[in-house]
Amino acid sequence: MTPTGRRLEGIYPRSQWSHEFGTKKARDLCTFLPSLLRKLGPHRPFLRKIVREQGTLELFCGVIADGNWDESFGPELMGRFAALGLSLRLDVWPEAKPAKPVRSARTKPHSTRKR
């Protein structure tokens, strides 16, 4: 389908679809994810069909963190992902880039010049 709803002819080796689920105000994924899975639940037969036909399904969550970020997803929640054939992908990055590169304490500048 095109964005205007026109059906495309033929068979394509690869396609993808994405959707924004309105997570901008979500503060806790452990609260947001179960509500999202409830919404996707009625579509389980369609989602499982995609997986049966060698397709892949991924729920991508981009997280902007201003410090350490830690969240634990229990077996019940992960089982609900598995039941739908969904992978969970987390991408976490800092709120702002550091002003200058951070050097590891083990990294020392060195010179190849002989003394």
Side-chain angles (χ1 to χ4, degrees), residues 69-87:
W69 180 74
D70 178 35
E71 197 134 13
S72 179
F73 305 113
E76 192 275 331
L77 180 65
M78 298 310 294
R80 290 173 64 191
F81 272 93
L84 293 172
L86 275 173
S87 295

Side-chain angles (χ1 to χ4, degrees), residues 3 12 14 18 23 27 36 45 53 55 79 86-87 90 92 95 104:
Y12 295 85
R14 184 180 173 139
S18 65
T23 60
R27 301 314 266 161
L36 177 62
E53 294 177 356
L86 275 173
S87 295
L90 301 175
V92 183
E95 190 168 24
S104 166

Side-chain angles (χ1 to χ4, degrees), residues 1-8:
M1 287 280 178
T2 68
T4 61
R6 185 176 58 84
R7 187 180 185 98
L8 295 172

Side-chain angles (χ1 to χ4, degrees), residues 26-97:
R27 301 314 266 161
D28 181 13
L29 283 177
C30 281
T31 303
F32 176 78
L33 292 176
S35 68
L36 177 62
L37 291 172
R38 276 191 297 279
K39 291 176 186 173
L40 293 173
H43 306 285
R44 182 175 184 236
F46 173 70
L47 298 173
R48 296 300 303 176
K49 181 178 183 222
I50 292 171
V51 173
R52 269 193 321 275
E53 294 177 356
Q54 307 304 310
T56 57
L57 302 171
E58 177 181 85
L59 180 65
F60 171 87
C61 295
V63 177
I64 300 172
D66 60 358
N68 185 43
W69 180 74
D70 178 35
E71 197 134 13
S72 179
F73 305 113
E76 192 275 331
L77 180 65
M78 298 310 294
R80 290 173 64 191
F81 272 93
L84 293 172
L86 275 173
S87 295
L88 175 61
R89 179 178 179 180
L90 301 175
D91 191 2
V92 183
W93 57 89
E95 190 168 24
K97 291 187 177 191

